[in-house]
Amino acid sequence: MKRKVELVVKSVDVIALDTFEMTLVNKYVAKTAIPGQFLHLLVDGHTLRRPISIANVDRNNNEITILFKIVGDGTKQLAAYKPGMSIDALGPSGNGFSYEGKLNSVLLVGGGIGIPPLYNLGKTLKKKGIKVTAVLGFQSKEHVFYEANFRELGKTYVVTNDGTYGYRGFVTSVMDQIEDFDTYYSCGPIPMLKAVTKQLQDHSGYISLEERMGCGVGACFACVIPTDSHGGYKKICKDGPVFAADEVVL
Ligand code: FES
């Protein structure tokens, strides 16, 4: 359920080039958010809300962590928020990842700023006793973040496009090395998701298309995406951001 909330900033830290980790306090969001959901933040002085996915939740301390990259004025301003300031948001929003049924092992495949929601998911699945393997793709060494966090969850492969850290290439370059798994979850740029879903077409999987969102409330139509052979379109902000990998046409 989406509702208007007020979050109080607890901390803001730089964790990679132009990439920030912000911890926020709000009891309702911390108690109700599920992996794959996002917050729809209103940065002071801006009229459009920004969808930013939830990277971590600490239910005991009512804390929520978001990670974001500076890509324009709004995110630049967000990075300048100080502890104690409050942010208006709608959320938690979106449908979240599905992990019903019997799962023994999963593969998480994330690219860049698509990685954060996979951390919250991986933590949740690990607590359930599910084996987690992660493949994280970044442009280059200075963009790498949360490697240690994912290593705590399970075997983690880091790939950089230019080879300055970890494996060289794309996330798909290392996926052949991974032992079998029951299902996969992926989030990142559309070209990466296309390559991942193609390579893993024999597996069931879920993809989060959060990077394609604009207004986040069904008003701008920036996020419509064709569905499978039955035709029709879905709105990422209202019907997603998570879809079964074979449900939408990328
Ligand atoms: Fe604007 Fe979905 S993001 S309609």
Side-chain angles (χ1 to χ4, degrees):
M1 189 183 117
K2 184 193 290 204
R3 78 177 191 195
K4 201 164 185 293
V5 290
E6 200 73 21
L7 300 114
V8 178
V9 177
K10 184 179 177 201
S11 60
V12 188
D13 296 294
V14 182
I15 55 167
L17 183 66
D18 290 337
T19 311
F20 290 78
E21 177 187 69
M22 178 182 273
T23 301
L24 301 156
V25 180
N26 180 280
K27 189 173 177 182
Y28 171 74
V29 178
K31 298 285 188 234
T32 59
I34 60 167
Q37 287 191 306
F38 60 93
L39 288 172
H40 210 196
L41 302 177
L42 187 61
V43 178
D44 282 345
H46 292 256
T47 47
L48 283 182
R49 291 179 178 274
R50 265 146 232 284
I52 298 188
S53 62
I54 295 170
N56 201 2
V57 172
D58 178 346
R59 295 204 201 277
N60 293 333
N61 293 306
N62 298 326
E63 291 174 7
I64 307 101
T65 302
I66 57 171
L67 308 183
F68 59 92
K69 203 166 182 163
I70 293 187
V71 289
D73 279 355
T75 38
K76 192 172 177 185
Q77 204 176 324
L78 186 61
Y81 272 61
K82 301 280 177 252
M85 289 171 77
S86 59
I87 304 181
D88 169 315
L90 297 177
S93 305
N95 58 350
F97 290 108
S98 169
Y99 43 86
E100 298 308 317
K102 181 96 188 90
L103 287 178
N104 292 314
S105 62
V106 299
L107 173 64
L108 310 179
V109 186
I113 207 64
I115 290 169
L118 298 176
Y119 180 63
N120 194 21
L121 174 68
K123 247 182 79 176
T124 305
L125 296 181
K126 189 178 179 200
K127 269 191 208 144
K128 290 176 174 291
I130 297 167
K131 182 182 165 198
V132 174
T133 304
V135 179
L136 311 177
F138 301 92
Q139 283 169 267
S140 57
K141 186 178 180 182
E142 67 262 33
H143 293 98
V144 176
F145 60 84
Y146 266 40
E147 179 188 2
N149 303 50
F150 276 90
R151 289 203 186 284
E152 280 176 18
L153 304 180
K155 189 160 171 85
T156 298
Y157 300 78
V158 176
V159 185
T160 51
N161 300 149
D162 61 4
T164 45
Y165 190 78
Y167 295 87
R168 176 192 290 270
F170 298 98
V171 290
T172 43
S173 319
V174 299
M175 279 168 22
D176 284 345
Q177 302 179 30
I178 290 157
E179 290 170 22
D180 207 16
F181 49 88
D182 297 320
T183 193
Y184 73 90
Y185 299 89
S186 190
C187 185
I190 297 287
M192 184 203 91
L193 291 175
K194 269 189 183 173
V196 169
T197 51
K198 188 169 175 218
Q199 190 163 333
L200 299 178
Q201 58 189 332
D202 296 333
H203 287 80
S204 71
Y206 295 89
I207 52 175
S208 173
L209 301 176
E210 54 158 49
E211 288 206 350
R212 274 276 311 273
M213 274 190 282
C215 72
V217 288
C220 74
F221 290 87
C223 70
V224 287
I225 187 151
T227 55
D228 62 11
S229 53
H230 305 302
Y233 287 82
K234 295 214 167 179
K235 279 185 181 168
I236 294 169
C237 64
K238 297 209 113 168
D239 305 312
V242 177
F243 296 93
D246 57 1
E247 187 183 353
V248 287
V249 181
L250 294 173

